[in-house]
Amino acid sequence: MRFRFSFAMFGMAAALAFLVSCGSPPAEPDAISSEGVKNSDPLQPETPTSLSLPEVELEKLTAVQPTKGALDAAGSFPVKPGELWIKLNCTGDGIVTVDVQPLVEFDIPCTEGEINQTENQLNLVRAREITLKVSAPEEVGWSLLAEQ
């Protein structure tokens, strides 16, 4: 009986030691900033450094100087696979609709008293011919630039 009691006590002591080691909270790792310097407060991240993106040369496909109202065709031209940028500035109270035929049509809201600038990116899978058409109320002024 004494042997069983000692063995039981040994088992309880081992279990207790296991629970104590598992129950303690893990040590917090040191926070590392982007420069590889240890941050003393892991809850306060380092101020991010600014990234400089490489300048990409875009080819102007068409441009419409400031105008008002609708334009049946802002231009027809071939486009290559890849990114096509349609940049539009507008002012006045109304909606400018840009129709990139045969791909997509989108609306740009414009506000009186400010210049609204938008950049719309289309990712083209294959080369094709497109036609740009712009519709706008007579009181809305706008200009457009298409680049690739």
Side-chain angles (χ1 to χ4, degrees), residues 16-119:
L16 183 60
F18 177 76
L19 289 175
V20 169
S21 69
C22 289
S24 63
E28 286 189 39
D30 290 332
I32 305 294
S33 72
S34 61
E35 290 90 31
V37 178
K38 288 187 178 183
N39 182 358
S40 60
D41 187 359
L43 299 178
Q44 296 296 323
E46 292 289 323
T47 305
T49 57
S50 64
L51 298 175
S52 60
L53 299 175
E55 289 293 321
V56 177
E57 288 287 325
L58 295 174
E59 176 187 346
K60 180 173 90 171
L61 301 175
T62 190
V64 177
Q65 297 303 315
T67 189
K68 287 190 172 197
L71 186 62
D72 282 339
S76 293
F77 44 86
V79 292
K80 304 175 282 193
E83 295 177 357
L84 170 64
W85 288 92
I86 309 288
K87 300 174 182 181
L88 183 109
N89 293 341
C90 64
T91 187
D93 193 27
I95 303 286
V96 175
T97 301
V98 179
D99 188 5
V100 185
Q101 295 179 354
L103 302 173
V104 67
E105 181 179 289
F106 50 91
D107 294 331
I108 308 294
C110 302
T111 307
E112 184 66 43
E114 62 184 73
I115 297 174
N116 300 280
Q117 299 177 331
T118 61
E119 293 183 346

